[in-house]
Amino acid sequence: MDLYKLENVSKAYGNFYALKNINLRIKKGEFVVVLGPSGSGKSTLLNLLFGITKPTNGNIWFNDKNIVTENKEFLRKMRLNDIGFINQDYNLIPTLNVFENIELGDNKKNSLKKEELINLLGLKKHLKKYPYQLSGGEKALVCILRALIKNPQVLIGDEITKPLDVNNSRHVLNILKKINQTYHTSIIIVTHDKFIASLASRVIYLKNGLINTN
Ligand code: ADP
Ligand code: MG
């Protein structure tokens, strides 16, 4: 079954087309890496999947709903309950400790077992620390856990390993793989790092707003 289906999707900013006639299907449970140079349309694509912007043309189905025609309230609930979104800034609240930051992501509806997740991500010993006391890799994991705690159908990440060195990137990627395998959470991450793409089960190449299939 498809998690996402994009049909002839284009996105223009003024008269510049950042995405051109994209056709794409992403199945439930897939771990997808979107690879492409800076300016190729990666973030634009993720913003469309997150439902925070609408395409200029085309249709985007999330499960069986065409989110292009859904109203703001539907999209707000979809973002709140079904999608965990992470970007490279991590956006941890500096005045809250790790546990409190994680709690912020809890929508009190379908939480996964917190203990189990904290252990899976190796964050138990850091729960009382504040963000300034964490390494970059640990911050990334806290941010991932905050997005995951509501048990979303999909985790979407925009260049989340950009601030990290190779070893930390690999560690975060391996954790995402474990999450994908353990909870069947679909994962869609964007990077311009070829090394990261080599760890994924499916790679989509974007160039000049077009999907390159070879
Ligand atoms: P990537 O994430 O692959 O670096 P983006 O999707 O951010 O690429 O941007 C693709 C192109 O669209 C770039 O040329 C960028 O300048 C342009 N762009 C992105 N967002 C906007 C916007 N809100 N307004 C105008 N142009 C934009
Ligand atoms: Mg980007």
Side-chain angles (χ1 to χ4, degrees):
M1 170 131 183
D2 289 331
L3 178 73
Y4 281 108
K5 186 176 146 198
L6 280 69
E7 188 186 72
N8 300 327
V9 170
S10 299
K11 176 72 179 179
Y13 300 112
N15 54 15
F16 169 75
Y17 276 81
L19 289 176
K20 302 161 187 163
N21 216 36
I22 300 289
N23 287 285
L24 176 66
R25 299 172 93 137
I26 296 172
K27 289 199 251 347
K28 286 192 179 172
E30 265 196 289
F31 188 149
V32 176
V33 167
V34 182
L35 189 66
S38 183
S40 58
K42 303 183 299 296
S43 295
T44 299
L45 177 64
L46 292 193
N47 290 334
L48 290 172
L49 298 180
F50 192 42
I52 201 84
T53 53
K54 295 218 176 188
T56 308
N57 290 299
N59 294 304
I60 302 172
W61 280 271
F62 179 68
N63 297 310
D64 54 349
K65 293 269 192 207
N66 185 353
I67 61 173
V68 175
T69 54
E70 290 295 336
N71 63 24
K72 278 190 180 157
E73 182 57 14
F74 177 91
L75 295 172
R76 191 187 66 79
K77 284 195 180 136
M78 175 185 86
R79 288 192 294 266
L80 182 68
N81 298 318
D82 302 326
I83 305 178
F85 195 95
I86 310 159
N87 69 23
Q88 60 181 294
D89 299 329
Y90 305 147
N91 301 321
L92 299 178
I93 308 293
T95 51
L96 300 179
N97 69 25
V98 166
F99 185 77
E100 292 161 343
N101 265 286
I102 292 167
E103 287 271 281
L104 287 179
D106 192 348
N107 67 356
K108 313 282 181 210
K109 272 177 103 174
N110 45 359
S111 296
L112 291 168
K113 285 211 174 70
K114 257 174 230 162
E115 278 275 316
E116 193 178 302
L117 281 168
I118 287 165
N119 287 329
L120 182 78
L121 273 72
L123 287 172
K124 195 164 185 177
K125 57 184 175 294
H126 302 300
L127 290 177
K128 292 199 170 138
K129 285 188 181 173
Y130 287 83
Y132 80 93
Q133 297 169 308
L134 301 173
S135 72
E138 289 155 2
K139 279 184 200 160
L141 292 175
V142 173
C143 181
I144 289 169
L145 188 42
R146 186 179 57 188
L148 197 65
I149 207 85
K150 64 190 182 185
N151 195 15
Q153 294 184 45
V154 58
L155 263 188
I156 296 180
D158 196 353
E159 309 250 15
I160 56 171
T161 58
K162 204 173 189 178
L164 307 180
D165 62 25
V166 172
N167 284 337
N168 272 304
S169 296
R170 174 175 268 189
H171 179 62
V172 167
L173 256 285
N174 284 330
I175 294 280
L176 287 176
K177 260 196 171 167
K178 252 192 220 170
I179 290 165
N180 175 247
Q181 285 161 354
T182 310
Y183 301 106
H184 309 291
T185 313
S186 308
I187 296 183
I188 304 170
I189 55 170
V190 146
T191 182
H192 59 252
D193 184 345
K194 287 211 171 83
F195 164 77
I196 288 172
S198 72
L199 296 174
S201 51
R202 179 173 166 210
V203 179
I204 294 167
Y205 295 93
L206 257 187
K207 204 177 169 188
N208 295 326
L210 292 164
I211 287 183
N212 199 334
T213 44
N214 47 29

